Amino acid sequence: MRKTDITLTENAREKIRELERQGLYPRLILTKSGCCSYTFDIYPDKLRGSDELTDVEDVHFIIALQVREFAPTLRIDYGRRGILKNFIVKAK
């Protein structure tokens, strides 16, 4: 399996630590967007059956296998996207 290299901004690290204190972890998934493209999505979730936590810069993620196969390098931020605050994932 390919390794995904993830870098986090300080805002993203702070939000993830906040989630961890609540017993949640960011789940990083790949979703179909339009007819032939994909986007990366992150949402807070609890560990399930076969989930494994991945350590990224001293915080933990649940990463879907498709993400590892699709994107070798990601940069994750947390901030405003329009009127909402959310994680922002960019492939490098």
Side-chain angles (χ1 to χ4, degrees):
M1 178 182 345
R2 177 191 284 182
K3 181 182 183 298
T4 300
D5 183 33
I6 299 174
T7 57
L8 303 171
T9 65
E10 188 56 37
N11 287 342
R13 254 189 309 283
E14 287 176 24
K15 182 61 179 179
I16 295 167
R17 286 184 184 122
E18 179 183 313
L19 292 173
E20 287 180 337
R21 287 190 293 272
Q22 298 171 27
L24 300 170
Y25 300 94
R27 183 176 294 273
L28 178 58
I29 62 170
L30 189 65
T31 56
K32 190 159 175 79
S33 171
C35 63
C36 56
S37 63
Y38 294 89
T39 60
F40 298 98
D41 291 319
I42 297 179
Y43 62 91
D45 201 4
K46 292 188 177 198
L47 282 175
R48 298 184 213 153
S50 62
D51 287 340
E52 292 182 22
L53 289 177
T54 301
D55 182 56
V56 177
E57 298 181 19
D58 296 325
V59 295
H60 299 91
F61 274 83
I62 305 166
I63 301 176
L65 292 177
Q66 304 94 320
V67 172
R68 294 179 189 277
E69 295 168 7
F70 193 82
T73 306
L74 298 174
R75 181 179 183 277
I76 299 175
D77 192 8
Y78 184 81
R80 290 211 178 274
R81 182 184 287 171
I83 60 170
L84 301 174
K85 277 191 157 185
N86 207 342
F87 288 101
I88 302 162
V89 183
K90 294 186 180 179
K92 292 183 183 180

Coordinates of all heavy atoms in Angstrom, one line a residue:
M1 N 0.8 -1.2 0.0 CA 0.0 0.0 0.0 C 0.9 1.2 0.0 O 1.9 1.3 0.7 CB -0.9 0.0 1.3 CG -1.8 1.2 1.4 SD -2.8 1.3 2.8 CE -2.8 -0.3 3.6
R2 N 0.5 2.2 -0.8 CA 1.2 3.5 -0.9 C 1.1 4.3 0.4 O 0.0 4.3 1.0 CB 0.7 4.2 -2.1 CG 1.4 5.6 -2.3 CD 0.6 6.4 -3.3 NE 0.9 5.9 -4.6 CZ 0.5 6.5 -5.7 NH1 -0.4 7.5 -5.6 NH2 0.8 6.0 -6.9
K3 N 2.1 5.0 0.8 CA 2.0 5.9 1.9 C 1.6 7.3 1.5 O 2.0 7.7 0.4 CB 3.4 6.0 2.6 CG 3.4 6.8 3.8 CD 4.8 6.9 4.4 CE 4.9 7.7 5.7 NZ 4.6 9.0 5.6
T4 N 0.7 7.9 2.2 CA 0.3 9.3 1.9 C 1.0 10.2 2.9 O 1.0 10.0 4.1 CB -1.2 9.4 2.1 OG1 -1.9 8.5 1.3 CG2 -1.7 10.8 1.8
D5 N 1.7 11.2 2.3 CA 2.4 12.2 3.1 C 1.5 13.3 3.3 O 1.0 14.0 2.4 CB 3.7 12.6 2.3 CG 4.5 13.6 3.1 OD1 4.5 13.5 4.3 OD2 5.1 14.5 2.4
I6 N 1.2 13.6 4.6 CA 0.3 14.7 5.0 C 1.0 15.7 5.8 O 1.7 15.4 6.7 CB -0.9 14.1 5.8 CG1 -1.7 13.1 5.0 CG2 -1.9 15.2 6.3 CD1 -2.7 12.3 5.7
T7 N 0.8 17.0 5.4 CA 1.2 18.1 6.2 C 0.0 18.9 6.7 O -1.0 19.0 6.0 CB 2.2 19.1 5.5 OG1 1.5 19.5 4.3 CG2 3.4 18.4 5.0
L8 N 0.1 19.4 7.9 CA -1.0 20.1 8.6 C -0.6 21.5 8.9 O 0.5 21.8 9.3 CB -1.4 19.4 9.9 CG -1.8 18.0 9.8 CD1 -1.9 17.4 11.2 CD2 -3.1 17.8 9.1
T9 N -1.6 22.4 8.8 CA -1.3 23.8 9.3 C -1.6 23.8 10.8 O -2.2 22.8 11.3 CB -2.3 24.8 8.6 OG1 -3.6 24.5 9.0 CG2 -2.1 24.8 7.1
E10 N -1.2 24.8 11.5 CA -1.4 24.9 12.9 C -2.9 24.9 13.2 O -3.4 24.3 14.2 CB -0.7 26.1 13.5 CG -0.8 26.1 15.1 CD -0.2 24.9 15.7 OE1 0.8 24.3 15.2 OE2 -0.8 24.4 16.8
N11 N -3.7 25.6 12.4 CA -5.2 25.6 12.6 C -5.8 24.2 12.5 O -6.6 23.8 13.3 CB -5.8 26.5 11.6 CG -5.6 28.0 11.8 OD1 -5.3 28.4 12.9 ND2 -5.8 28.8 10.8
A12 N -5.3 23.4 11.6 CA -5.8 22.0 11.4 C -5.4 21.2 12.6 O -6.2 20.5 13.2 CB -5.3 21.4 10.2
R13 N -4.2 21.3 13.1 CA -3.7 20.6 14.3 C -4.5 20.9 15.5 O -5.0 20.0 16.3 CB -2.2 20.9 14.6 CG -1.3 19.7 14.2 CD 0.1 19.9 14.7 NE 0.7 21.2 14.3 CZ 1.2 21.5 13.1 NH1 1.1 20.6 12.1 NH2 1.7 22.7 12.9
E14 N -4.8 22.2 15.7 CA -5.6 22.6 16.9 C -7.0 22.0 16.8 O -7.6 21.6 17.8 CB -5.7 24.2 16.9 CG -4.4 24.8 17.4 CD -4.5 26.3 17.3 OE1 -5.6 26.9 17.4 OE2 -3.4 27.0 17.2
K15 N -7.7 22.1 15.6 CA -9.0 21.5 15.5 C -9.0 20.0 15.7 O -9.9 19.5 16.4 CB -9.6 21.8 14.1 CG -11.0 21.4 13.9 CD -11.9 22.0 14.9 CE -13.4 21.6 14.7 NZ -14.3 22.2 15.6
I16 N -8.0 19.3 15.2 CA -7.9 17.9 15.4 C -7.7 17.5 16.9 O -8.4 16.6 17.4 CB -6.8 17.2 14.6 CG1 -7.2 17.4 13.1 CG2 -6.6 15.8 14.9 CD1 -6.1 17.1 12.1
R17 N -6.9 18.3 17.6 CA -6.7 18.1 19.1 C -8.1 18.3 19.8 O -8.4 17.6 20.7 CB -5.7 19.0 19.6 CG -4.3 18.6 19.2 CD -3.2 19.4 19.8 NE -1.9 19.0 19.3 CZ -1.1 19.8 18.7 NH1 -1.4 21.1 18.5 NH2 0.1 19.4 18.3
E18 N -8.8 19.3 19.4 CA -10.1 19.5 20.0 C -11.1 18.3 19.7 O -11.8 17.9 20.7 CB -10.7 20.8 19.3 CG -12.1 21.2 19.8 CD -12.6 22.4 19.0 OE1 -11.9 23.4 18.9 OE2 -13.8 22.3 18.6
L19 N -11.0 17.8 18.5 CA -11.9 16.6 18.2 C -11.4 15.4 19.1 O -12.3 14.7 19.6 CB -11.8 16.2 16.8 CG -12.4 17.2 15.8 CD1 -12.0 16.7 14.3 CD2 -13.9 17.2 15.9
E20 N -10.1 15.2 19.2 CA -9.6 14.1 20.0 C -10.1 14.2 21.5 O -10.4 13.2 22.1 CB -8.1 14.0 19.9 CG -7.6 13.5 18.6 CD -6.1 13.5 18.5 OE1 -5.4 14.2 19.3 OE2 -5.6 12.7 17.7
R21 N -10.1 15.4 22.0 CA -10.6 15.5 23.4 C -12.1 15.1 23.5 O -12.5 14.8 24.6 CB -10.4 17.0 23.9 CG -9.0 17.4 24.1 CD -8.8 18.7 24.8 NE -9.2 19.8 24.0 CZ -8.4 20.5 23.2 NH1 -7.2 20.1 23.0 NH2 -8.9 21.5 22.5
Q22 N -12.8 15.1 22.4 CA -14.2 14.7 22.4 C -14.4 13.2 22.1 O -15.5 12.7 21.9 CB -15.0 15.6 21.4 CG -15.0 17.0 21.7 CD -15.6 17.8 20.6 OE1 -16.4 17.4 19.8 NE2 -15.2 19.1 20.5
G23 N -13.2 12.5 21.9 CA -13.3 11.1 21.5 C -13.6 10.9 20.0 O -14.0 9.8 19.6
L24 N -13.3 11.9 19.2 CA -13.5 11.8 17.8 C -12.2 12.0 17.0 O -11.2 12.6 17.6 CB -14.5 12.9 17.3 CG -15.9 12.9 17.9 CD1 -16.7 14.1 17.6 CD2 -16.6 11.6 17.5
Y25 N -12.2 11.5 15.8 CA -11.0 11.6 15.0 C -11.5 12.1 13.6 O -12.6 11.8 13.1 CB -10.3 10.3 14.8 CG -9.8 9.8 16.1 CD1 -10.6 8.9 16.9 CD2 -8.6 10.2 16.7 CE1 -10.2 8.4 18.1 CE2 -8.2 9.8 17.9 CZ -9.0 8.9 18.6 OH -8.6 8.4 19.9
P26 N -10.6 12.8 12.9 CA -11.0 13.2 11.5 C -10.9 12.0 10.6 O -9.9 11.3 10.6 CB -10.0 14.3 11.1 CG -8.8 14.0 12.0 CD -9.3 13.4 13.3
R27 N -12.0 11.7 9.9 CA -12.0 10.6 8.9 C -11.7 11.3 7.5 O -12.5 12.1 7.1 CB -13.3 9.9 8.9 CG -13.3 8.7 7.9 CD -14.6 7.9 8.1 NE -14.7 7.3 9.4 CZ -14.3 6.1 9.7 NH1 -13.6 5.4 8.8 NH2 -14.4 5.6 10.9
L28 N -10.7 10.9 6.8 CA -10.3 11.4 5.5 C -10.7 10.4 4.5 O -10.3 9.3 4.5 CB -8.8 11.6 5.5 CG -8.2 12.1 4.2 CD1 -8.8 13.5 3.8 CD2 -6.7 12.3 4.3
I29 N -11.6 10.9 3.6 CA -12.2 10.0 2.6 C -12.1 10.6 1.2 O -11.8 11.8 1.1 CB -13.7 9.6 2.8 CG1 -14.5 10.9 2.8 CG2 -13.8 8.9 4.2 CD1 -16.0 10.6 2.9
L30 N -12.3 9.8 0.2 CA -12.3 10.3 -1.2 C -13.7 10.1 -1.7 O -14.3 9.1 -1.6 CB -11.3 9.4 -2.0 CG -11.0 9.9 -3.4 CD1 -10.3 11.2 -3.5 CD2 -10.2 8.8 -4.1
T31 N -14.3 11.2 -2.3 CA -15.7 11.1 -2.8 C -15.7 11.5 -4.2 O -15.0 12.4 -4.7 CB -16.7 12.0 -2.0 OG1 -16.2 13.3 -1.9 CG2 -16.8 11.5 -0.5
K32 N -16.6 10.9 -5.0 CA -16.8 11.2 -6.4 C -17.4 12.6 -6.5 O -18.4 12.9 -5.8 CB -17.7 10.2 -7.1 CG -17.7 10.3 -8.6 CD -18.1 9.0 -9.2 CE -18.2 9.2 -10.7 NZ -17.0 9.2 -11.4
S33 N -16.9 13.4 -7.4 CA -17.4 14.8 -7.6 C -17.6 15.0 -9.1 O -16.6 15.0 -9.8 CB -16.4 15.8 -7.0 OG -16.7 17.1 -7.4
G34 N -18.8 15.1 -9.5 CA -19.1 15.3 -10.9 C -18.9 14.0 -11.6 O -19.0 12.9 -11.0
C35 N -18.7 14.0 -12.9 CA -18.7 12.8 -13.7 C -17.4 12.0 -13.7 O -17.4 10.8 -13.8 CB -19.1 13.1 -15.2 SG -18.0 14.1 -16.0
C36 N -16.3 12.8 -13.5 CA -15.0 12.0 -13.6 C -13.9 12.6 -12.7 O -12.7 12.5 -13.0 CB -14.5 12.0 -15.0 SG -14.4 13.6 -15.8
S37 N -14.3 13.3 -11.6 CA -13.3 13.8 -10.7 C -13.7 13.4 -9.3 O -14.7 12.9 -9.0 CB -13.2 15.3 -10.8 OG -14.4 16.0 -10.5
Y38 N -12.7 13.7 -8.4 CA -12.9 13.3 -7.0 C -12.5 14.5 -6.1 O -11.7 15.3 -6.5 CB -12.0 12.1 -6.6 CG -12.4 10.8 -7.4 CD1 -11.9 10.5 -8.6 CD2 -13.3 10.0 -6.8 CE1 -12.3 9.4 -9.3 CE2 -13.8 8.8 -7.4 CZ -13.3 8.6 -8.7 OH -13.7 7.4 -9.4
T39 N -13.0 14.5 -4.8 CA -12.6 15.4 -3.8 C -12.2 14.7 -2.6 O -12.7 13.6 -2.3 CB -13.7 16.5 -3.5 OG1 -14.8 15.8 -3.0 CG2 -14.1 17.3 -4.7
F40 N -11.4 15.3 -1.7 CA -11.1 14.8 -0.4 C -12.0 15.4 0.6 O -12.2 16.7 0.6 CB -9.7 15.1 -0.1 CG -8.7 14.4 -1.0 CD1 -8.1 15.2 -2.1 CD2 -8.3 13.1 -0.9 CE1 -7.3 14.6 -2.9 CE2 -7.5 12.5 -1.7 CZ -6.9 13.3 -2.8
D41 N -12.6 14.6 1.4 CA -13.5 15.2 2.5 C -13.0 14.7 3.8 O -12.4 13.6 3.9 CB -14.9 14.7 2.3 CG -15.6 15.3 1.1 OD1 -15.4 16.5 0.9 OD2 -16.3 14.6 0.4
I42 N -13.2 15.5 4.8 CA -12.9 15.2 6.2 C -14.1 15.4 7.1 O -14.7 16.5 7.0 CB -11.7 16.0 6.7 CG1 -10.4 15.7 5.9 CG2 -11.4 15.7 8.2 CD1 -9.2 16.5 6.4
Y43 N -14.4 14.5 7.9 CA -15.5 14.7 8.9 C -15.1 14.0 10.2 O -14.4 13.0 10.2 CB -16.8 14.3 8.4 CG -16.9 12.8 8.0 CD1 -17.4 11.9 9.0 CD2 -16.6 12.3 6.8 CE1 -17.5 10.5 8.7 CE2 -16.7 11.0 6.5 CZ -17.2 10.1 7.5 OH -17.2 8.7 7.2
P44 N -15.6 14.6 11.3 CA -15.3 13.9 12.6 C -16.1 12.6 12.8 O -17.3 12.5 12.4 CB -15.8 15.0 13.7 CG -16.2 16.2 12.9 CD -16.3 15.8 11.5
D45 N -15.4 11.6 13.3 CA -16.0 10.3 13.4 C -15.4 9.5 14.6 O -14.3 9.8 15.0 CB -15.9 9.5 12.1 CG -16.9 8.4 11.9 OD1 -17.8 8.3 12.8 OD2 -16.8 7.7 10.9
K46 N -16.1 8.5 15.0 CA -15.6 7.6 16.0 C -14.9 6.4 15.3 O -15.2 6.1 14.1 CB -16.7 7.1 16.9 CG -17.2 8.2 17.8 CD -18.2 7.6 18.8 CE -18.6 8.8 19.7 NZ -19.2 8.3 21.0
L47 N -14.0 5.7 16.0 CA -13.4 4.5 15.5 C -14.4 3.5 15.3 O -15.3 3.3 16.1 CB -12.3 4.0 16.4 CG -11.0 4.8 16.4 CD1 -10.1 4.2 17.5 CD2 -10.3 4.7 15.0
R48 N -14.3 2.8 14.2 CA -15.3 1.6 13.9 C -14.4 0.4 13.7 O -13.2 0.4 13.5 CB -16.0 1.9 12.6 CG -16.9 3.1 12.7 CD -17.7 3.2 11.4 NE -18.0 4.6 11.1 CZ -18.2 5.1 9.9 NH1 -18.2 4.3 8.9 NH2 -18.4 6.4 9.7
G49 N -15.1 -0.8 13.7 CA -14.5 -2.1 13.6 C -13.0 -2.2 13.2 O -12.2 -2.4 14.0
S50 N -12.8 -2.1 11.9 CA -11.4 -2.3 11.4 C -10.6 -1.1 11.2 O -9.5 -1.1 10.5 CB -11.5 -3.1 10.1 OG -12.1 -2.4 9.1
D51 N -11.1 0.1 11.6 CA -10.4 1.3 11.5 C -9.0 1.3 12.2 O -8.9 0.7 13.2 CB -11.1 2.5 12.1 CG -12.3 2.9 11.2 OD1 -12.4 2.6 10.0 OD2 -13.2 3.6 11.8
E52 N -8.0 1.9 11.6 CA -6.7 2.1 12.2 C -6.4 3.6 12.2 O -6.7 4.3 11.3 CB -5.6 1.4 11.4 CG -5.8 -0.1 11.4 CD -4.6 -0.8 10.6 OE1 -3.6 -0.1 10.4 OE2 -4.8 -1.9 10.2
L53 N -5.8 4.0 13.3 CA -5.4 5.4 13.4 C -4.1 5.6 12.8 O -3.2 4.8 13.0 CB -5.4 5.9 14.9 CG -6.7 6.0 15.6 CD1 -6.5 6.4 17.0 CD2 -7.6 7.1 14.9
T54 N -3.9 6.7 12.1 CA -2.6 7.0 11.5 C -2.1 8.3 12.2 O -2.8 9.3 12.3 CB -2.8 7.3 10.0 OG1 -3.3 6.1 9.3 CG2 -1.5 7.7 9.3
D55 N -0.9 8.2 12.7 CA -0.3 9.4 13.3 C 0.2 10.4 12.3 O 1.0 10.0 11.4 CB 0.8 8.9 14.2 CG 1.5 10.1 15.0 OD1 0.7 10.8 15.7 OD2 2.7 10.3 14.9
V56 N -0.2 11.6 12.4 CA 0.3 12.7 11.5 C 0.6 13.9 12.4 O -0.3 14.5 13.0 CB -0.8 13.1 10.5 CG1 -0.3 14.2 9.6 CG2 -1.2 11.9 9.6
E57 N 1.9 14.2 12.5 CA 2.4 15.3 13.3 C 1.7 15.4 14.6 O 1.2 16.4 15.1 CB 2.1 16.6 12.5 CG 2.8 16.7 11.2 CD 2.5 18.0 10.4 OE1 2.1 19.0 11.0 OE2 2.7 18.1 9.2
D58 N 1.8 14.2 15.3 CA 1.3 14.1 16.7 C -0.2 14.2 16.9 O -0.7 14.5 18.0 CB 2.0 15.1 17.7 CG 3.5 14.9 17.7 OD1 3.9 13.7 17.7 OD2 4.3 15.8 17.8
V59 N -1.0 14.1 15.9 CA -2.5 13.9 16.0 C -2.8 12.7 15.1 O -2.0 12.2 14.4 CB -3.2 15.2 15.5 CG1 -2.9 16.4 16.4 CG2 -2.9 15.5 14.0
H60 N -4.1 12.3 15.3 CA -4.4 11.0 14.6 C -5.6 11.2 13.6 O -6.5 12.0 13.8 CB -4.9 10.0 15.7 CG -3.8 9.7 16.7 ND1 -3.6 10.5 17.8 CD2 -2.8 8.8 16.6 CE1 -2.5 10.0 18.4 NE2 -2.0 9.0 17.7
F61 N -5.5 10.4 12.6 CA -6.5 10.4 11.5 C -7.0 9.0 11.2 O -6.2 8.0 11.5 CB -5.8 10.8 10.1 CG -5.8 12.3 9.9 CD1 -4.8 13.1 10.5 CD2 -6.8 12.9 9.1 CE1 -4.7 14.4 10.2 CE2 -6.7 14.2 8.9 CZ -5.7 15.0 9.5
I62 N -8.2 8.9 10.7 CA -8.7 7.6 10.1 C -8.7 7.9 8.6 O -9.3 8.8 8.2 CB -10.1 7.3 10.6 CG1 -10.3 7.3 12.1 CG2 -10.6 6.0 10.0 CD1 -11.7 7.4 12.6
I63 N -7.9 7.2 7.9 CA -7.7 7.4 6.5 C -8.2 6.3 5.7 O -7.8 5.1 5.8 CB -6.2 7.7 6.2 CG1 -5.7 8.9 7.0 CG2 -6.0 7.9 4.7 CD1 -4.2 9.1 6.8
A64 N -9.1 6.5 4.8 CA -9.7 5.5 3.9 C -8.6 5.0 2.9 O -7.7 5.8 2.5 CB -10.8 6.1 3.1
L65 N -8.6 3.7 2.6 CA -7.6 3.1 1.7 C -7.6 3.8 0.4 O -6.5 4.0 -0.2 CB -7.9 1.7 1.5 CG -7.8 0.8 2.7 CD1 -8.2 -0.7 2.4 CD2 -6.3 0.8 3.2
Q66 N -8.7 4.3 -0.2 CA -8.7 4.9 -1.5 C -7.9 6.2 -1.5 O -7.2 6.5 -2.5 CB -10.1 5.3 -1.9 CG -11.1 4.2 -2.0 CD -11.9 4.1 -0.6 OE1 -11.3 4.3 0.4 NE2 -13.2 3.8 -0.7
V67 N -7.8 6.9 -0.4 CA -7.0 8.1 -0.3 C -5.5 7.7 -0.4 O -4.8 8.4 -1.2 CB -7.2 8.8 1.1 CG1 -6.2 10.0 1.3 CG2 -8.7 9.3 1.2
R68 N -5.1 6.7 0.2 CA -3.7 6.3 0.1 C -3.3 5.9 -1.3 O -2.2 6.2 -1.8 CB -3.4 5.1 1.1 CG -3.5 5.5 2.5 CD -3.3 4.3 3.4 NE -3.6 4.5 4.8 CZ -2.8 5.1 5.6 NH1 -1.6 5.5 5.2 NH2 -3.1 5.3 6.9
E69 N -4.2 5.3 -2.0 CA -4.0 4.9 -3.4 C -4.0 6.0 -4.4 O -3.3 6.0 -5.4 CB -5.0 3.8 -3.8 CG -4.9 2.6 -3.0 CD -6.1 1.6 -3.2 OE1 -6.9 1.9 -4.1 OE2 -6.1 0.6 -2.5
F70 N -4.8 7.1 -4.1 CA -5.0 8.2 -5.0 C -4.1 9.3 -4.9 O -3.7 10.0 -5.8 CB -6.5 8.6 -4.8 CG -7.0 9.5 -5.9 CD1 -7.4 9.0 -7.1 CD2 -6.9 10.9 -5.8 CE1 -7.9 9.8 -8.1 CE2 -7.4 11.7 -6.8 CZ -7.9 11.2 -8.0
A71 N -3.7 9.7 -3.6 CA -2.9 10.9 -3.4 C -1.7 10.7 -2.5 O -1.9 10.4 -1.3 CB -3.8 12.0 -2.8
P72 N -0.5 10.8 -3.1 CA 0.7 10.6 -2.2 C 1.0 11.8 -1.3 O 1.6 11.6 -0.3 CB 1.8 10.4 -3.3 CG 1.3 11.1 -4.5 CD -0.2 11.0 -4.5
T73 N 0.5 13.0 -1.6 CA 0.9 14.1 -0.8 C -0.3 15.1 -0.6 O -0.9 15.5 -1.6 CB 2.0 14.9 -1.5 OG1 3.1 14.1 -1.7 CG2 2.5 16.1 -0.5
L74 N -0.7 15.4 0.6 CA -1.8 16.2 0.9 C -1.4 17.3 1.9 O -0.6 17.1 2.8 CB -3.0 15.4 1.5 CG -3.6 14.3 0.7 CD1 -4.6 13.6 1.5 CD2 -4.2 14.9 -0.5
R75 N -2.0 18.5 1.8 CA -1.9 19.6 2.7 C -3.2 19.8 3.3 O -4.2 20.1 2.5 CB -1.3 20.8 2.1 CG -1.1 22.0 3.1 CD -0.5 23.2 2.4 NE -0.3 24.2 3.3 CZ -1.2 25.1 3.7 NH1 -2.4 25.0 3.3 NH2 -0.9 26.1 4.6
I76 N -3.4 19.8 4.6 CA -4.7 20.0 5.3 C -4.6 21.3 6.2 O -3.8 21.4 7.0 CB -5.0 18.8 6.1 CG1 -5.1 17.6 5.2 CG2 -6.4 19.0 6.9 CD1 -5.4 16.3 5.9
D77 N -5.6 22.1 5.9 CA -5.8 23.3 6.7 C -7.2 23.3 7.3 O -8.0 22.5 7.0 CB -5.7 24.6 5.8 CG -5.6 25.9 6.5 OD1 -5.4 25.9 7.8 OD2 -5.6 26.9 5.9
Y78 N -7.5 24.2 8.3 CA -8.8 24.4 8.8 C -9.1 25.9 8.8 O -8.3 26.7 9.3 CB -8.9 23.8 10.3 CG -10.3 23.9 10.8 CD1 -11.2 22.9 10.5 CD2 -10.7 25.0 11.6 CE1 -12.5 23.0 11.0 CE2 -11.9 25.0 12.1 CZ -12.9 24.1 11.8 OH -14.1 24.1 12.3
G79 N -10.2 26.2 8.2 CA -10.5 27.7 8.1 C -11.8 27.9 7.4 O -12.6 27.0 7.2
R80 N -12.0 29.1 7.0 CA -13.3 29.5 6.3 C -13.3 29.1 4.9 O -12.3 29.3 4.1 CB -13.5 31.0 6.4 CG -13.9 31.4 7.8 CD -14.8 32.6 7.8 NE -15.1 33.0 9.1 CZ -16.1 32.4 9.8 NH1 -16.9 31.5 9.3 NH2 -16.4 32.8 11.1
R81 N -14.4 28.5 4.5 CA -14.6 28.2 3.1 C -16.0 28.7 2.9 O -17.0 28.1 3.3 CB -14.6 26.7 2.8 CG -14.8 26.4 1.3 CD -14.9 25.0 1.0 NE -13.5 24.3 1.1 CZ -13.3 23.0 1.0 NH1 -14.3 22.2 0.9 NH2 -12.1 22.6 1.1
G82 N -16.1 29.9 2.3 CA -17.4 30.6 2.3 C -17.8 31.1 3.7 O -17.0 31.7 4.3
I83 N -19.0 30.8 4.1 CA -19.4 31.3 5.4 C -19.1 30.2 6.5 O -19.3 30.5 7.7 CB -20.9 31.6 5.4 CG1 -21.8 30.4 5.1 CG2 -21.2 32.8 4.5 CD1 -23.2 30.7 5.3
L84 N -18.7 29.0 6.1 CA -18.5 27.9 7.1 C -17.1 27.7 7.3 O -16.2 27.8 6.5 CB -19.2 26.6 6.6 CG -20.7 26.7 6.3 CD1 -21.1 25.4 5.7 CD2 -21.5 27.0 7.6
K85 N -16.7 27.2 8.6 CA -15.4 26.8 8.9 C -15.3 25.3 8.7 O -16.3 24.5 9.0 CB -15.0 27.1 10.3 CG -14.5 28.5 10.5 CD -13.9 28.6 11.9 CE -13.0 29.8 11.9 NZ -12.3 29.9 13.2
N86 N -14.3 24.8 8.0 CA -14.2 23.4 7.7 C -12.7 23.1 7.4 O -11.9 23.9 7.2 CB -15.1 23.0 6.6 CG -15.5 21.6 6.6 OD1 -14.9 20.8 7.3 ND2 -16.6 21.3 5.9
F87 N -12.4 21.8 7.3 CA -11.1 21.3 6.8 C -11.0 21.6 5.3 O -12.0 21.4 4.6 CB -10.9 19.8 7.1 CG -10.7 19.5 8.6 CD1 -11.7 19.0 9.4 CD2 -9.5 19.8 9.2 CE1 -11.5 18.8 10.7 CE2 -9.2 19.5 10.5 CZ -10.3 19.0 11.3
I88 N -9.8 22.0 4.9 CA -9.6 22.2 3.5 C -8.4 21.3 3.1 O -7.3 21.4 3.6 CB -9.2 23.7 3.3 CG1 -10.3 24.6 3.8 CG2 -8.9 24.0 1.8 CD1 -10.0 26.0 4.0
V89 N -8.6 20.4 2.2 CA -7.6 19.5 1.7 C -7.2 19.8 0.3 O -8.0 19.9 -0.6 CB -8.2 18.0 1.8 CG1 -7.1 17.0 1.4 CG2 -8.8 17.7 3.1
K90 N -5.9 19.9 0.1 CA -5.3 20.1 -1.2 C -4.3 19.1 -1.5 O -3.4 18.8 -0.7 CB -4.7 21.5 -1.3 CG -5.7 22.6 -1.1 CD -5.1 24.0 -1.3 CE -6.1 25.0 -1.2 NZ -5.6 26.3 -1.3
A91 N -4.4 18.5 -2.7 CA -3.4 17.5 -3.1 C -2.2 18.3 -3.8 O -2.4 19.3 -4.4 CB -4.0 16.5 -4.2
K92 N -1.0 17.8 -3.5 CA 0.2 18.5 -4.1 C 0.7 17.7 -5.2 O 0.6 16.5 -5.3 CB 1.3 18.6 -3.0 CG 0.9 19.6 -1.9 CD 2.1 19.7 -1.0 CE 1.8 20.6 0.2 NZ 3.0 20.7 1.0

